Amino acid sequence: MFVDIADSTMLYERIGNATAAALTQQVLAHLRQLVEEHSGRVIKSLGDGLLAAFPACDDSVRTACAMIDGQNRHGLRLRIGIHHGAVIEGVGDLYGDACNVAARVQQIARPGEILVTQALVDGLSPGLRDRTRPLNNVAMKGKTAPIRVHRVRDADDADDAIESTTLGFSLVTEAGDAMVTLHLSYRGQEIAMSRALPRVTIGREDSSGLRIASRQTSRQHAVIDFTRESFLLTDHSTNGTFIRSGGSPPLVLRRDSTKLVGSGLIGFGAEALDEGQDHVVAFRGELA
């Protein structure tokens, strides 16, 4: 199990380094306690998260549910990813394909969400298995075939319909020149991303950095991060993110990531046909 405190960078900016660091340590201590109460073992801390291992699949899901149930008391949201498989244990760490898969599943989870793999679901008791619903087949680096990902249901799932679309590919483009600024345009609103504004959350909920007024868009649809001199868009949605750039065929993301290169249109929840649609954002990158 990989657990991460969502948007921790923004937390430090909002309440200050000392307060944020103290709150983070308080949350991590609570997460450690929950792991131990459910027969698990914390392998290591990961800055704003942790890696844990459990003797049984049920134990891991019960722990994850307890973590999500208690996240609001700290005013933070967690992203959790769990996979079942063999690992190699080293000094203070775990290695192997199972760890890589669990880490990837955690990365594509939305804040406040638990994602698990088919291998984990297969090991659950009937009662807990009934709490899971299939999402997509997600392509992962080093895997010849996509891996089936499920969501552990909670009370908010009624808002976004569950689907079972297969993602047959994963595309991350390579740009020859580094972009230093990404301009986003939506209904007269302009946002310029750069080192000074390295993250923008996009979705239907009011707290989004860029709020999209479309029923086709998920509440927490996607995030764009400026990292390693490039802008990485990660989809967290139900309906997917559709990117049209230049003369290339449209790219569809479902629980996956891609670099934004050049200029084009992004459809949050449906195809991007023109900039006037209520779910479409135009983007334009500036090179160094």
Side-chain angles (χ1 to χ4, degrees):
M1 171 197 286
F2 280 88
V3 186
D4 179 66
I5 299 174
D7 298 330
S8 58
T9 300
M10 297 174 64
L11 175 69
Y12 278 77
E13 294 176 355
R14 190 173 73 247
I15 65 176
N17 291 339
T19 305
L23 178 59
T24 298
Q25 291 307 309
Q26 180 183 353
V27 172
L28 291 178
H30 178 62
L31 298 182
R32 284 176 172 270
Q33 179 181 346
L34 291 175
V35 170
E36 294 168 359
E37 288 176 354
H38 291 84
S39 304
R41 182 162 56 99
V42 174
I43 305 301
K44 64 177 180 179
S45 295
L46 302 165
D48 297 329
L50 56 83
L51 165 63
F54 297 83
C57 295
D58 281 11
D59 295 329
S60 67
V61 171
R62 290 194 179 102
T63 303
C65 291
M67 290 176 172
I68 294 297
D69 289 344
Q71 64 183 351
N72 289 335
R73 91 175 56 156
H74 301 289
L76 300 172
R77 292 184 293 181
L78 306 173
R79 285 193 294 259
I80 303 177
I82 318 174
H83 179 54
H84 173 67
V87 296
I88 300 171
E89 185 166 7
V91 179
D93 207 348
L94 297 178
Y95 304 93
D97 181 65
C99 287
N100 297 334
V101 172
R104 176 65 176 137
V105 171
Q106 178 265 306
Q107 290 169 359
I108 63 176
R110 291 189 288 193
E113 188 174 57
I114 306 166
L115 294 186
V116 301
T117 63
Q118 183 69 55
L120 190 284
V121 171
D122 290 342
L124 292 175
S125 60
L128 286 176
R129 191 181 304 130
D130 288 343
R131 290 193 60 178
T132 68
R133 286 295 180 268
L135 286 177
N136 301 307
N137 289 348
V138 176
M140 297 192 183
K141 184 178 179 181
K143 290 289 188 181
T144 57
I147 289 180
R148 188 67 158 174
V149 174
H150 298 246
R151 176 195 292 148
V152 178
R153 292 184 301 161
D154 59 25
D156 295 328
D157 279 348
D159 182 74
D160 289 327
I162 304 298
E163 64 169 33
S164 57
T165 305
T166 297
L167 175 64
F169 59 90
S170 173
L171 175 63
V172 177
T173 56
E174 296 296 334
D177 298 307
M179 292 199 307
V180 295
T181 306
L182 181 70
H183 298 274
L184 304 173
S185 302
Y186 179 70
R187 290 188 165 187
Q189 182 179 359
E190 301 286 334
I191 295 178
M193 294 189 62
S194 64
R195 291 185 183 89
L197 180 63
R199 164 169 280 216
V200 170
T201 57
I202 301 168
R204 205 173 69 242
E205 65 182 13
D206 293 337
S207 60
S208 300
L210 178 56
R211 184 177 182 274
I212 307 298
S214 172
R215 293 184 61 84
Q216 299 175 96
T217 303
S218 294
R219 290 172 303 157
Q220 303 165 21
H221 195 104
V223 62
I224 301 176
D225 288 296
F226 179 61
T227 176
R228 298 182 181 178
E229 305 303 317
S230 61
F231 294 90
L232 188 71
L233 186 153
T234 302
D235 175 83
H236 296 303
S237 73
T238 296
N239 294 329
T241 300
F242 300 73
I243 303 170
R244 186 182 296 274
S245 180
S248 302
L251 171 65
V252 183
L253 295 179
R254 289 188 172 91
R255 299 300 178 115
D256 216 327
S257 303
T258 190
K259 290 181 183 178
L260 294 176
V261 179
S263 61
L265 301 176
I266 308 172
F268 293 99
E271 286 193 62
L273 301 179
D274 63 72
E275 192 173 345
Q277 294 175 289
D278 63 5
H279 65 283
V280 173
V281 173
F283 73 92
R284 174 177 57 83
E286 290 183 5
L287 300 178

